[in-house]
Amino acid sequence: MFIDIFIVIARYRGRFLGILTVITLISLGIALLWPKTYMSTAKYVQYDSSVSGSLGGLISSFTNLPSGGEKVNTEQSTIILRSRTMLDTVIEEFDLASVYEKEIQEELRLKLEENTIIEEIREAGIGFNPIVSVSVSVLDRDPQRAKEMVEFYLEELDDRMVEINQRNAQRMLTAYEARYQQNLTDLETATQELVDFQKTYGILEPQTQTAALIGNAAQVKAQMTALDVEIGVAQSLLSASSGEVTELLERKRQLEKTYNSLIVDPVNATRSPDEVFTDATLDVFPALEDMPTLAAEYLRLFREATVQQEIYKVLLPQYEQQKMMVMESNSGLELIDQPNLPTYKEKPKRAFIVIAGFFFGLFAAFFSVSFADFIRKGKKGEQSEAYQKYQELMSVFQKS
């Protein structure tokens, strides 16, 4: 079979070589005339260079509250690069409608997408691994424009990431600020209520004051008991109208009044409530029967002030940190490779074009000589049936 092929090629070697040479020369011409295309490339990584990575991390370890707001990560940065808004911005910036000689915006986007190569370099391993770095390349006939387009892509990406990060941080700051202002109001209210209560009732330390009251009452009671003994002895020895007995009874009456005042009213039971605890009559030892209610109210007010103070301790660092993050919002992008000015063409691959043309020429030349040999054999009657079908087919085309 191979011998037959070589015989056919040798019989029509002039045609074979002619077709092969013409097609190869045409492919060479195409390779030489094809406009050169240059490619500029840049590569970037993303770091967390915000304040939350240092001071913020320390503060967050104490407060366990979120901070900073959601930041654009590397995965999302590639989405921004491929977005329609980004493509339209690049088209408008470099007037690509005149460069690509197209007027329809959709066609311009498709052409720009073809000329923009975004490659994601991921960590080695099995499964879906995070992106380590991203390379951005642009193909263009003008090497300077290719470099400028890559630079514009990266500048626009950085601006948009900063804008999104700042907007998210501002949203978090607004939430923290509202809660912080509410805490200041609550803290001021709780503190003022506690101060007003202390001014009104003289409650400074319930446990200490109660212990002092009990001690005072016990001392007075002990004196009353001792006085009762003295009165009993005096009455047994003296008459009831004697001056000494009368003096002892008066002392007992004063002690009973003092004791009752400790238990019921420390100032004057006959005064109205508004007059009892004025600045002139204020006593730091309220009546024992009032101590449970006053202590409970004091503890409630003290607890509320303490809670608001603790909330303040938590919110203030987070609020200040969030303000810093809004001011220092950034993209975290770091360029590993700066956009280069290409000096050697990326396309066309002339060797590939010529080689492809050569092999296509071989196929076309072999088909041509095989067909010529088929016609020759048909005319001689060596392939009468196949040749008759060929003639019928040609007659059909001629009639149509």
Side-chain angles (χ1 to χ4, degrees):
M1 180 178 180
F2 289 103
I3 296 297
D4 295 337
I5 293 175
F6 284 114
I7 292 173
V8 171
I9 292 175
R11 181 178 293 121
Y12 298 97
R13 57 183 177 277
R15 173 183 291 194
F16 184 87
L17 294 175
I19 293 174
L20 178 60
T21 302
V22 169
I23 293 178
T24 303
L25 291 175
I26 290 174
S27 63
L28 178 61
I30 292 173
L32 294 174
L33 295 176
W34 196 301
K36 296 179 181 179
T37 302
Y38 299 88
M39 184 170 70
S40 178
T41 303
K43 184 181 292 185
Y44 70 84
V45 295
Q46 186 181 22
Y47 296 107
D48 185 5
S49 58
S50 66
V51 69
S52 64
S54 54
L55 175 62
L58 179 62
I59 294 175
S60 297
S61 66
F62 289 110
T63 61
N64 293 324
L65 288 178
S67 62
E70 197 70 25
K71 298 188 69 175
V72 179
N73 56 34
T74 311
E75 295 274 357
Q76 294 166 336
S77 72
T78 61
I79 297 175
I80 295 175
L81 285 172
R82 296 185 175 101
S83 66
R84 176 173 52 83
T85 304
M86 177 69 81
L87 295 175
D88 290 343
T89 305
V90 176
I91 291 170
E92 181 179 357
E93 177 69 19
F94 293 93
D95 191 20
L96 296 183
S98 59
V99 175
Y100 295 154
E101 298 179 351
K102 297 179 183 296
E103 296 182 358
I104 301 175
Q105 192 72 10
E106 287 75 9
E107 293 181 353
L108 287 171
R109 292 193 197 111
L110 290 175
K111 183 65 176 178
L112 180 58
E113 286 179 346
E114 292 176 3
N115 292 336
T116 302
I117 303 171
I118 300 172
E119 184 179 4
E120 304 162 358
I121 297 91
R122 297 182 179 272
E123 288 183 357
I126 301 174
F128 186 80
N129 298 311
I131 296 176
V132 178
S133 62
V134 178
S135 67
V136 181
S137 303
V138 172
L139 295 167
D140 197 89
R141 295 179 182 177
D142 183 353
Q144 182 63 35
R145 185 168 56 221
K147 177 177 180 290
E148 292 175 356
M149 288 176 69
V150 174
E151 290 174 345
F152 184 78
Y153 263 116
L154 296 177
E155 291 173 0
E156 193 70 16
L157 174 63
D158 183 78
D159 291 342
R160 297 189 182 196
M161 290 178 67
V162 169
E163 179 184 355
I164 295 173
N165 291 340
Q166 193 168 36
R167 187 165 60 244
N168 291 340
Q170 183 64 48
R171 190 179 298 116
M172 289 285 292
L173 176 61
T174 301
Y176 274 119
E177 185 174 16
R179 186 62 186 88
Y180 175 71
Q181 295 298 331
Q182 180 63 42
N183 173 248
L184 290 180
T185 302
D186 295 341
L187 179 59
E188 182 178 358
T189 302
T191 304
Q192 189 61 45
E193 288 179 352
L194 180 61
V195 171
D196 292 342
F197 180 83
Q198 290 176 322
K199 285 182 178 180
T200 302
Y201 298 104
I203 298 295
L204 300 176
E205 180 55 53
Q207 292 181 350
T208 303
Q209 288 174 271
T210 302
L213 281 172
I214 293 174
N216 292 339
Q219 290 178 7
V220 173
K221 190 67 175 178
Q223 293 177 17
M224 291 171 60
T225 303
L227 192 59
D228 284 338
V229 174
E230 290 183 30
I231 291 172
V233 173
Q235 287 178 342
S236 66
L237 298 176
L238 303 173
S239 65
S241 60
S242 66
E244 187 175 347
V245 173
T246 303
E247 181 182 353
L248 290 174
L249 290 173
E250 179 62 24
R251 285 174 57 190
K252 180 181 179 182
R253 189 180 67 82
Q254 291 295 332
L255 287 174
E256 288 176 346
K257 182 178 179 182
T258 301
Y259 180 79
N260 291 331
S261 70
L262 289 173
I263 302 300
V264 179
D265 187 349
V267 180
N268 193 336
T270 62
R271 294 184 181 182
S272 66
D274 294 335
E275 295 174 338
V276 170
F277 296 107
T278 63
D279 292 338
T281 63
L282 183 63
D283 196 327
V284 296
F285 295 105
L288 278 173
E289 69 174 8
D290 294 332
M291 283 303 294
T293 303
L294 294 177
E297 180 64 14
Y298 171 82
L299 291 175
R300 184 189 69 80
L301 295 173
F302 182 77
R303 181 180 65 248
E304 179 65 21
T306 303
V307 168
Q308 295 301 328
Q309 182 65 30
E310 292 301 317
I311 294 175
Y312 176 82
K313 291 179 182 179
V314 172
L315 286 177
L316 180 59
Q318 290 294 129
Y319 177 56
E320 294 298 329
Q321 176 198 354
Q322 198 63 36
K323 289 196 292 187
M324 293 175 61
M325 296 197 68
V326 171
M327 292 187 294
E328 298 182 8
S329 293
N330 58 74
S331 64
L333 296 183
E334 293 290 340
L335 287 179
I336 300 176
D337 295 327
Q338 296 285 341
N340 65 304
L341 180 64
T343 57
Y344 186 77
K345 62 179 178 60
E346 179 69 18
K347 295 179 182 180
K349 305 292 184 182
R350 290 174 177 170
F352 292 155
I353 294 175
V354 173
I355 292 173
F358 175 77
F359 281 106
F360 179 74
L362 283 176
F363 172 77
F366 179 73
F367 178 79
S368 178
V369 297
S370 297
F371 184 74
D373 191 62
F374 169 75
I375 297 297
R376 181 185 65 81
K377 290 180 179 179
K379 290 180 177 181
K380 289 184 176 181
E382 296 178 8
Q383 294 180 346
S384 58
E385 184 177 354
Y387 186 69
Q388 288 178 359
K389 292 181 179 179
Y390 166 73
Q391 286 182 324
E392 290 178 3
L393 178 64
M394 293 302 297
S395 63
V396 170
F397 279 111
Q398 289 175 356
K399 288 179 181 180
S400 59

